[in-house]
Amino acid sequence: MSNVENTLSIIKPDAVERNLDSQIKEMFIKNGFDIIKEKKIQIDKIEAEKFYKVHETKPFYNDLCTYLSSGPIVVMVLEKENAILANRELMGSTNPKDAKEGTIRKKFGLSIDKNSVHGSDSLENAKIEIDFFFKS
Ligand code: IDP
Ligand code: MG
């Protein structure tokens, strides 16, 4: 049975700043994802705090929100069979040092915080995150 899902992907400021967005989008397409929505925006710190609210108790929360709002990002809705897990696999581990060969974070990530991409981690969060950026 097919299980086509949508997931939210963000190309983070470190990657947009290095003009890596086309290369990263190419990796999604090569791996069978359809980019069904896409926009380049910059969010403010308040919006970043709202987006990353699940991490509000973490020691890195403030820096993370400052970082995500520090420059333009590309937000996309990706569609594919089992897209949520498939995107997590293509992104690789949170820390690029631990990411496997062939993953986006291995290829482009600079550090645990500047790790080039975000991807939803569950069906529930994918819906919330897609609404956050694309609800009309
Ligand atoms: P994920 O992006 O792989 O889902 P999360 O644990 O959800 O990882 O963390 C969200 C983001 O917070 C990470 O992508 C990374 O940018 C940042 N982050 C996570 N852990 C650390 C840390 O220990 N130090 C600094 N930043 C971190
Ligand atoms: Mg996460």
Side-chain angles (χ1 to χ4, degrees):
M1 228 172 65
S2 91
N3 182 44
V4 174
E5 294 173 342
N6 288 351
T7 191
L8 186 89
S9 170
I10 303 177
I11 304 177
K12 293 182 175 181
D14 69 272
V16 175
E17 188 179 82
R18 287 176 288 151
N19 291 312
L20 296 172
D21 35 324
S22 335
Q23 284 179 73
I24 291 174
K25 282 192 270 177
E26 197 124 302
M27 284 179 81
F28 289 129
I29 290 159
K30 271 199 184 125
N31 282 274
F33 291 89
D34 290 326
I35 300 171
I36 62 171
K37 288 182 187 173
E38 179 187 343
K39 61 182 177 184
K40 190 174 189 177
I41 54 171
Q42 182 163 0
I43 60 172
D44 63 25
K45 188 153 180 208
I46 306 287
E47 290 172 299
E49 285 169 355
K50 206 172 148 200
F51 180 74
Y52 272 134
K53 194 156 174 56
V54 291
H55 294 303
E56 69 183 333
T57 61
K58 309 270 172 66
F60 56 82
Y61 179 63
N62 185 59
D63 287 349
L64 176 62
C65 297
T66 300
Y67 164 63
L68 193 70
S69 56
S70 68
I73 57 176
V74 177
V75 289
M76 293 162 289
V77 176
L78 304 180
E79 186 169 273
K80 183 183 152 88
E81 185 81 11
N82 301 316
I84 295 156
L85 187 61
N87 181 39
R88 296 291 306 188
E89 283 175 2
L90 180 58
M91 285 164 55
S93 300
T94 305
N95 190 341
K97 283 187 187 141
D98 303 327
K100 286 188 198 144
E101 214 55 60
T103 63
I104 296 171
R105 284 169 165 170
K106 172 76 180 179
K107 203 162 178 200
F108 300 120
L110 299 172
S111 57
I112 191 162
D113 48 332
K114 296 185 174 172
N115 57 10
S116 304
V117 278
H118 166 86
S120 308
D121 62 4
S122 66
L123 191 58
E124 189 192 358
N125 285 335
K127 286 187 177 133
I128 293 168
E129 293 178 355
I130 289 167
D131 271 2
F132 184 90
F133 284 108
F134 291 103
K135 198 162 188 159
S136 41

Short mmCIF file of all heavy atoms in Angstrom, two decimals, residues 38-94:
data_model
loop_
_atom_site.label_atom_id
_atom_site.label_comp_id
_atom_site.label_asym_id
_atom_site.label_seq_id
_atom_site.Cartn_x
_atom_site.Cartn_y
_atom_site.Cartn_z
N GLU A 38 7.47 25.96 -2.09
CA GLU A 38 8.81 26.47 -1.81
C GLU A 38 8.77 27.98 -1.68
O GLU A 38 8.09 28.66 -2.45
CB GLU A 38 9.71 26.11 -2.99
CG GLU A 38 11.11 26.59 -2.85
CD GLU A 38 11.95 26.36 -4.11
OE1 GLU A 38 11.56 25.56 -4.97
OE2 GLU A 38 12.99 27.02 -4.22
N LYS A 39 9.44 28.53 -0.70
CA LYS A 39 9.63 29.99 -0.64
C LYS A 39 10.91 30.33 0.10
O LYS A 39 11.33 29.61 1.00
CB LYS A 39 8.42 30.70 -0.01
CG LYS A 39 8.10 30.30 1.41
CD LYS A 39 6.85 31.05 1.90
CE LYS A 39 6.47 30.59 3.31
NZ LYS A 39 5.24 31.20 3.80
N LYS A 40 11.50 31.44 -0.32
CA LYS A 40 12.70 31.95 0.35
C LYS A 40 12.26 33.12 1.20
O LYS A 40 11.65 34.07 0.67
CB LYS A 40 13.71 32.39 -0.70
CG LYS A 40 15.08 32.71 -0.16
CD LYS A 40 16.04 32.99 -1.30
CE LYS A 40 17.46 33.12 -0.86
NZ LYS A 40 18.36 33.32 -2.01
N ILE A 41 12.53 33.05 2.50
CA ILE A 41 12.08 34.09 3.41
C ILE A 41 13.14 34.32 4.48
O ILE A 41 14.09 33.56 4.60
CB ILE A 41 10.76 33.68 4.15
CG1 ILE A 41 10.92 32.32 4.84
CG2 ILE A 41 9.58 33.68 3.19
CD1 ILE A 41 9.78 31.94 5.76
N GLN A 42 12.94 35.38 5.26
CA GLN A 42 13.72 35.51 6.50
C GLN A 42 12.71 35.69 7.63
O GLN A 42 11.78 36.50 7.51
CB GLN A 42 14.68 36.68 6.43
CG GLN A 42 15.51 36.79 7.72
CD GLN A 42 16.77 37.65 7.60
OE1 GLN A 42 17.05 38.22 6.54
NE2 GLN A 42 17.52 37.76 8.69
N ILE A 43 12.85 34.94 8.70
CA ILE A 43 11.93 35.07 9.83
C ILE A 43 12.61 35.87 10.94
O ILE A 43 13.84 35.96 10.99
CB ILE A 43 11.44 33.69 10.34
CG1 ILE A 43 12.60 32.80 10.82
CG2 ILE A 43 10.63 32.97 9.27
CD1 ILE A 43 12.14 31.51 11.52
N ASP A 44 11.78 36.45 11.82
CA ASP A 44 12.38 37.17 12.94
C ASP A 44 12.54 36.22 14.14
O ASP A 44 12.10 35.07 14.11
CB ASP A 44 11.60 38.45 13.28
CG ASP A 44 10.18 38.17 13.74
OD1 ASP A 44 9.92 37.05 14.25
OD2 ASP A 44 9.32 39.06 13.58
N LYS A 45 13.19 36.72 15.18
CA LYS A 45 13.53 35.83 16.30
C LYS A 45 12.28 35.30 17.01
O LYS A 45 12.25 34.14 17.43
CB LYS A 45 14.44 36.55 17.30
CG LYS A 45 14.95 35.60 18.34
CD LYS A 45 16.26 35.97 18.96
CE LYS A 45 16.63 34.92 19.99
NZ LYS A 45 17.46 35.46 21.05
N ILE A 46 11.25 36.13 17.09
CA ILE A 46 9.99 35.70 17.73
C ILE A 46 9.39 34.49 16.99
O ILE A 46 8.93 33.53 17.60
CB ILE A 46 8.94 36.86 17.74
CG1 ILE A 46 9.53 38.13 18.37
CG2 ILE A 46 7.64 36.42 18.41
CD1 ILE A 46 9.70 38.11 19.87
N GLU A 47 9.42 34.57 15.66
CA GLU A 47 8.89 33.45 14.86
C GLU A 47 9.76 32.20 15.02
O GLU A 47 9.25 31.08 15.10
CB GLU A 47 8.84 33.85 13.37
CG GLU A 47 7.77 34.89 13.07
CD GLU A 47 7.88 35.41 11.64
OE1 GLU A 47 8.93 35.99 11.28
OE2 GLU A 47 6.91 35.24 10.90
N ALA A 48 11.08 32.40 15.07
CA ALA A 48 11.99 31.27 15.26
C ALA A 48 11.73 30.61 16.61
O ALA A 48 11.72 29.38 16.73
CB ALA A 48 13.44 31.74 15.15
N GLU A 49 11.47 31.42 17.63
CA GLU A 49 11.19 30.88 18.98
C GLU A 49 9.91 30.05 18.97
O GLU A 49 9.82 29.02 19.63
CB GLU A 49 11.07 32.03 19.99
CG GLU A 49 12.42 32.62 20.35
CD GLU A 49 12.33 33.92 21.14
OE1 GLU A 49 11.21 34.44 21.34
OE2 GLU A 49 13.40 34.43 21.53
N LYS A 50 8.95 30.52 18.17
CA LYS A 50 7.68 29.79 18.07
C LYS A 50 7.92 28.46 17.33
O LYS A 50 7.43 27.41 17.75
CB LYS A 50 6.68 30.67 17.31
CG LYS A 50 5.25 30.36 17.64
CD LYS A 50 4.32 31.41 17.00
CE LYS A 50 3.00 30.76 16.64
NZ LYS A 50 2.25 31.52 15.63
N PHE A 51 8.66 28.54 16.24
CA PHE A 51 8.93 27.34 15.45
C PHE A 51 9.67 26.28 16.27
O PHE A 51 9.37 25.08 16.18
CB PHE A 51 9.75 27.70 14.20
CG PHE A 51 10.05 26.51 13.34
CD1 PHE A 51 9.06 25.93 12.56
CD2 PHE A 51 11.32 25.95 13.35
CE1 PHE A 51 9.33 24.81 11.80
CE2 PHE A 51 11.60 24.82 12.58
CZ PHE A 51 10.60 24.26 11.79
N TYR A 52 10.64 26.69 17.06
CA TYR A 52 11.48 25.74 17.82
C TYR A 52 11.02 25.61 19.28
O TYR A 52 11.81 25.19 20.12
CB TYR A 52 12.94 26.18 17.78
CG TYR A 52 13.72 25.65 16.58
CD1 TYR A 52 14.54 26.50 15.84
CD2 TYR A 52 13.69 24.30 16.22
CE1 TYR A 52 15.29 26.02 14.76
CE2 TYR A 52 14.42 23.81 15.15
CZ TYR A 52 15.23 24.67 14.43
OH TYR A 52 15.98 24.19 13.38
N LYS A 53 9.75 25.91 19.54
CA LYS A 53 9.23 25.88 20.92
C LYS A 53 9.50 24.55 21.64
O LYS A 53 9.77 24.54 22.84
CB LYS A 53 7.73 26.20 20.93
CG LYS A 53 7.21 26.52 22.32
CD LYS A 53 5.96 27.38 22.28
CE LYS A 53 5.35 27.58 23.66
NZ LYS A 53 6.28 28.14 24.65
N VAL A 54 9.48 23.44 20.89
CA VAL A 54 9.75 22.13 21.52
C VAL A 54 11.12 22.09 22.19
O VAL A 54 11.36 21.26 23.06
CB VAL A 54 9.67 20.93 20.53
CG1 VAL A 54 8.25 20.69 20.07
CG2 VAL A 54 10.62 21.10 19.36
N HIS A 55 12.01 22.98 21.78
CA HIS A 55 13.37 22.99 22.34
C HIS A 55 13.57 24.08 23.39
O HIS A 55 14.71 24.35 23.77
CB HIS A 55 14.40 23.18 21.22
CG HIS A 55 14.46 22.03 20.26
ND1 HIS A 55 14.72 20.74 20.67
CD2 HIS A 55 14.27 21.96 18.92
CE1 HIS A 55 14.70 19.93 19.61
NE2 HIS A 55 14.42 20.65 18.54
N GLU A 56 12.48 24.69 23.86
CA GLU A 56 12.66 25.88 24.70
C GLU A 56 13.42 25.64 26.00
O GLU A 56 13.98 26.58 26.56
CB GLU A 56 11.33 26.60 24.96
CG GLU A 56 10.36 25.88 25.84
CD GLU A 56 9.03 26.63 25.98
OE1 GLU A 56 9.02 27.87 25.85
OE2 GLU A 56 8.01 25.97 26.20
N THR A 57 13.45 24.40 26.48
CA THR A 57 14.19 24.14 27.74
C THR A 57 15.65 23.77 27.49
O THR A 57 16.42 23.61 28.44
CB THR A 57 13.52 22.98 28.52
OG1 THR A 57 13.56 21.81 27.69
CG2 THR A 57 12.07 23.30 28.86
N LYS A 58 16.03 23.63 26.22
CA LYS A 58 17.41 23.20 25.91
C LYS A 58 18.39 24.37 26.08
O LYS A 58 18.04 25.51 25.81
CB LYS A 58 17.52 22.69 24.46
CG LYS A 58 16.48 21.65 24.08
CD LYS A 58 16.97 20.23 24.35
CE LYS A 58 15.87 19.20 24.14
NZ LYS A 58 15.44 19.09 22.74
N PRO A 59 19.62 24.05 26.48
CA PRO A 59 20.61 25.12 26.68
C PRO A 59 20.94 25.88 25.39
O PRO A 59 21.35 27.04 25.44
CB PRO A 59 21.85 24.38 27.18
CG PRO A 59 21.63 22.94 26.85
CD PRO A 59 20.14 22.72 26.82
N PHE A 60 20.72 25.24 24.23
CA PHE A 60 21.07 25.88 22.96
C PHE A 60 19.90 26.64 22.32
O PHE A 60 20.03 27.18 21.22
CB PHE A 60 21.63 24.84 21.98
CG PHE A 60 20.72 23.67 21.70
CD1 PHE A 60 19.68 23.75 20.78
CD2 PHE A 60 20.90 22.46 22.38
CE1 PHE A 60 18.85 22.66 20.53
CE2 PHE A 60 20.07 21.37 22.14
CZ PHE A 60 19.05 21.47 21.21
N TYR A 61 18.76 26.69 23.01
CA TYR A 61 17.53 27.27 22.42
C TYR A 61 17.73 28.72 21.94
O TYR A 61 17.38 29.06 20.81
CB TYR A 61 16.40 27.20 23.44
CG TYR A 61 15.08 27.79 23.00
CD1 TYR A 61 14.37 27.26 21.93
CD2 TYR A 61 14.52 28.89 23.67
CE1 TYR A 61 13.14 27.79 21.54
CE2 TYR A 61 13.30 29.42 23.29
CZ TYR A 61 12.62 28.87 22.23
OH TYR A 61 11.41 29.40 21.85
N ASN A 62 18.30 29.56 22.79
CA ASN A 62 18.45 30.96 22.42
C ASN A 62 19.35 31.14 21.19
O ASN A 62 18.99 31.83 20.24
CB ASN A 62 18.98 31.77 23.61
CG ASN A 62 19.03 33.25 23.29
OD1 ASN A 62 18.01 33.86 22.96
ND2 ASN A 62 20.22 33.83 23.33
N ASP A 63 20.48 30.47 21.21
CA ASP A 63 21.41 30.55 20.06
C ASP A 63 20.76 29.99 18.80
O ASP A 63 20.95 30.53 17.70
CB ASP A 63 22.68 29.74 20.34
CG ASP A 63 23.59 30.41 21.35
OD1 ASP A 63 23.33 31.60 21.68
OD2 ASP A 63 24.54 29.76 21.83
N LEU A 64 20.01 28.92 18.96
CA LEU A 64 19.35 28.28 17.81
C LEU A 64 18.36 29.25 17.15
O LEU A 64 18.32 29.37 15.91
CB LEU A 64 18.61 27.02 18.31
CG LEU A 64 17.76 26.25 17.32
CD1 LEU A 64 18.61 25.71 16.18
CD2 LEU A 64 17.06 25.07 18.03
N CYS A 65 17.60 29.96 17.97
CA CYS A 65 16.59 30.89 17.44
C CYS A 65 17.26 32.14 16.83
O CYS A 65 16.80 32.65 15.80
CB CYS A 65 15.60 31.27 18.53
SG CYS A 65 14.68 29.82 19.09
N THR A 66 18.33 32.59 17.45
CA THR A 66 19.10 33.69 16.87
C THR A 66 19.63 33.29 15.51
O THR A 66 19.53 34.03 14.52
CB THR A 66 20.29 34.07 17.80
OG1 THR A 66 19.75 34.46 19.05
CG2 THR A 66 21.11 35.21 17.22
N TYR A 67 20.16 32.07 15.46
CA TYR A 67 20.74 31.57 14.21
C TYR A 67 19.70 31.42 13.10
O TYR A 67 19.90 31.89 11.97
CB TYR A 67 21.45 30.23 14.48
CG TYR A 67 21.72 29.46 13.24
CD1 TYR A 67 22.59 29.99 12.26
CD2 TYR A 67 21.08 28.26 12.98
CE1 TYR A 67 22.80 29.31 11.09
CE2 TYR A 67 21.30 27.58 11.81
CZ TYR A 67 22.15 28.12 10.86
OH TYR A 67 22.35 27.46 9.69
N LEU A 68 18.57 30.77 13.40
CA LEU A 68 17.56 30.52 12.35
C LEU A 68 17.01 31.83 11.78
O LEU A 68 16.58 31.88 10.63
CB LEU A 68 16.41 29.64 12.86
CG LEU A 68 15.51 29.09 11.75
CD1 LEU A 68 16.22 28.04 10.90
CD2 LEU A 68 14.19 28.53 12.30
N SER A 69 17.04 32.89 12.61
CA SER A 69 16.52 34.18 12.14
C SER A 69 17.63 35.09 11.61
O SER A 69 17.38 36.25 11.29
CB SER A 69 15.76 34.86 13.29
OG SER A 69 16.59 35.00 14.43
N SER A 70 18.84 34.56 11.48
CA SER A 70 19.99 35.41 11.15
C SER A 70 20.15 35.72 9.66
O SER A 70 20.96 36.57 9.29
CB SER A 70 21.29 34.74 11.65
OG SER A 70 21.55 33.57 10.90
N GLY A 71 19.40 35.02 8.81
CA GLY A 71 19.53 35.26 7.37
C GLY A 71 18.45 34.52 6.63
O GLY A 71 17.65 33.81 7.24
N PRO A 72 18.42 34.66 5.29
CA PRO A 72 17.39 34.00 4.50
C PRO A 72 17.44 32.47 4.63
O PRO A 72 18.52 31.89 4.81
CB PRO A 72 17.72 34.42 3.06
CG PRO A 72 18.55 35.64 3.19
CD PRO A 72 19.31 35.50 4.48
N ILE A 73 16.26 31.89 4.57
CA ILE A 73 16.11 30.42 4.57
C ILE A 73 15.20 30.04 3.40
O ILE A 73 14.44 30.88 2.91
CB ILE A 73 15.51 29.89 5.90
CG1 ILE A 73 14.15 30.55 6.20
CG2 ILE A 73 16.48 30.14 7.06
CD1 ILE A 73 13.44 30.01 7.45
N VAL A 74 15.31 28.79 2.97
CA VAL A 74 14.38 28.29 1.95
C VAL A 74 13.52 27.23 2.62
O VAL A 74 14.06 26.23 3.13
CB VAL A 74 15.14 27.70 0.74
CG1 VAL A 74 14.16 27.11 -0.27
CG2 VAL A 74 16.00 28.77 0.07
N VAL A 75 12.21 27.46 2.67
CA VAL A 75 11.30 26.47 3.26
C VAL A 75 10.53 25.76 2.15
O VAL A 75 10.09 26.40 1.19
CB VAL A 75 10.34 27.07 4.31
CG1 VAL A 75 11.06 27.46 5.56
CG2 VAL A 75 9.58 28.26 3.77
N MET A 76 10.43 24.46 2.30
CA MET A 76 9.81 23.64 1.25
C MET A 76 8.91 22.58 1.85
O MET A 76 9.18 22.06 2.94
CB MET A 76 10.91 22.89 0.46
CG MET A 76 11.82 23.76 -0.34
SD MET A 76 13.34 22.84 -0.77
CE MET A 76 14.11 22.75 0.83
N VAL A 77 7.87 22.23 1.09
CA VAL A 77 7.11 21.03 1.40
C VAL A 77 7.58 19.96 0.42
O VAL A 77 7.54 20.16 -0.80
CB VAL A 77 5.59 21.26 1.27
CG1 VAL A 77 4.85 19.95 1.51
CG2 VAL A 77 5.13 22.34 2.23
N LEU A 78 8.07 18.86 0.97
CA LEU A 78 8.55 17.75 0.15
C LEU A 78 7.53 16.62 0.18
O LEU A 78 6.94 16.34 1.23
CB LEU A 78 9.87 17.19 0.71
CG LEU A 78 11.04 18.16 0.88
CD1 LEU A 78 12.25 17.42 1.44
CD2 LEU A 78 11.37 18.84 -0.44
N GLU A 79 7.35 16.00 -0.97
CA GLU A 79 6.40 14.89 -1.06
C GLU A 79 7.08 13.65 -1.60
O GLU A 79 7.82 13.72 -2.59
CB GLU A 79 5.22 15.28 -1.96
CG GLU A 79 4.12 14.25 -2.00
CD GLU A 79 2.87 14.79 -2.68
OE1 GLU A 79 2.04 15.42 -2.00
OE2 GLU A 79 2.76 14.62 -3.91
N LYS A 80 6.80 12.52 -0.97
CA LYS A 80 7.38 11.24 -1.39
C LYS A 80 6.75 10.15 -0.54
O LYS A 80 6.18 10.42 0.51
CB LYS A 80 8.92 11.28 -1.15
CG LYS A 80 9.70 10.05 -1.60
CD LYS A 80 11.18 10.23 -1.21
CE LYS A 80 11.89 8.92 -0.96
NZ LYS A 80 12.48 8.25 -2.06
N GLU A 81 6.88 8.93 -0.99
CA GLU A 81 6.52 7.76 -0.19
C GLU A 81 7.33 7.82 1.12
O GLU A 81 8.55 8.00 1.08
CB GLU A 81 6.91 6.53 -1.03
CG GLU A 81 6.52 5.21 -0.44
CD GLU A 81 5.07 4.85 -0.70
OE1 GLU A 81 4.38 5.51 -1.50
OE2 GLU A 81 4.61 3.91 -0.05
N ASN A 82 6.66 7.73 2.25
CA ASN A 82 7.34 7.79 3.57
C ASN A 82 8.31 8.98 3.68
O ASN A 82 9.44 8.83 4.16
CB ASN A 82 8.09 6.48 3.86
CG ASN A 82 7.15 5.28 3.85
OD1 ASN A 82 6.07 5.34 4.42
ND2 ASN A 82 7.53 4.21 3.18
N ALA A 83 7.86 10.13 3.24
CA ALA A 83 8.73 11.30 3.11
C ALA A 83 9.41 11.71 4.42
O ALA A 83 10.55 12.17 4.40
CB ALA A 83 7.93 12.49 2.57
N ILE A 84 8.72 11.56 5.53
CA ILE A 84 9.28 12.07 6.79
C ILE A 84 10.56 11.32 7.15
O ILE A 84 11.61 11.94 7.36
CB ILE A 84 8.22 11.99 7.92
CG1 ILE A 84 7.06 12.95 7.57
CG2 ILE A 84 8.82 12.34 9.28
CD1 ILE A 84 5.74 12.60 8.19
N LEU A 85 10.47 10.00 7.16
CA LEU A 85 11.65 9.18 7.47
C LEU A 85 12.70 9.28 6.36
O LEU A 85 13.90 9.39 6.64
CB LEU A 85 11.22 7.72 7.68
CG LEU A 85 12.31 6.77 8.15
CD1 LEU A 85 12.86 7.21 9.51
CD2 LEU A 85 11.77 5.33 8.24
N ALA A 86 12.24 9.27 5.12
CA ALA A 86 13.18 9.34 3.99
C ALA A 86 13.99 10.63 4.05
O ALA A 86 15.20 10.65 3.79
CB ALA A 86 12.42 9.24 2.67
N ASN A 87 13.34 11.73 4.43
CA ASN A 87 14.06 13.00 4.52
C ASN A 87 15.03 13.00 5.70
O ASN A 87 16.15 13.50 5.59
CB ASN A 87 13.07 14.17 4.63
CG ASN A 87 13.78 15.51 4.71
OD1 ASN A 87 14.77 15.74 4.04
ND2 ASN A 87 13.27 16.41 5.55
N ARG A 88 14.62 12.42 6.82
CA ARG A 88 15.53 12.34 7.98
C ARG A 88 16.78 11.54 7.59
O ARG A 88 17.90 11.88 7.99
CB ARG A 88 14.83 11.68 9.18
CG ARG A 88 13.66 12.45 9.75
CD ARG A 88 14.01 13.72 10.45
NE ARG A 88 14.99 13.56 11.48
CZ ARG A 88 15.35 14.52 12.34
NH1 ARG A 88 14.80 15.74 12.26
NH2 ARG A 88 16.27 14.32 13.24
N GLU A 89 16.57 10.49 6.80
CA GLU A 89 17.72 9.67 6.36
C GLU A 89 18.62 10.44 5.41
O GLU A 89 19.84 10.38 5.52
CB GLU A 89 17.22 8.37 5.71
CG GLU A 89 16.75 7.38 6.76
CD GLU A 89 16.13 6.11 6.17
OE1 GLU A 89 16.08 5.98 4.92
OE2 GLU A 89 15.68 5.28 6.97
N LEU A 90 18.02 11.15 4.48
CA LEU A 90 18.81 11.91 3.51
C LEU A 90 19.56 13.07 4.20
O LEU A 90 20.68 13.41 3.81
CB LEU A 90 17.90 12.45 2.39
CG LEU A 90 18.57 13.26 1.29
CD1 LEU A 90 19.67 12.46 0.59
CD2 LEU A 90 17.53 13.72 0.26
N MET A 91 18.95 13.66 5.24
CA MET A 91 19.62 14.74 5.98
C MET A 91 20.85 14.23 6.73
O MET A 91 21.87 14.90 6.78
CB MET A 91 18.66 15.34 7.02
CG MET A 91 17.58 16.23 6.45
SD MET A 91 16.25 16.50 7.63
CE MET A 91 17.12 17.14 9.03
N GLY A 92 20.73 13.08 7.37
CA GLY A 92 21.81 12.54 8.21
C GLY A 92 21.71 13.05 9.64
O GLY A 92 20.85 13.87 9.98
N SER A 93 22.63 12.57 10.48
CA SER A 93 22.61 12.90 11.91
C SER A 93 22.69 14.40 12.16
O SER A 93 23.30 15.13 11.39
CB SER A 93 23.79 12.26 12.62
OG SER A 93 23.74 10.87 12.47
N THR A 94 22.12 14.83 13.30
CA THR A 94 22.11 16.24 13.69
C THR A 94 23.53 16.82 13.67
O THR A 94 23.75 17.93 13.18
CB THR A 94 21.50 16.38 15.11
OG1 THR A 94 20.22 15.76 15.11
CG2 THR A 94 21.38 17.84 15.51
#
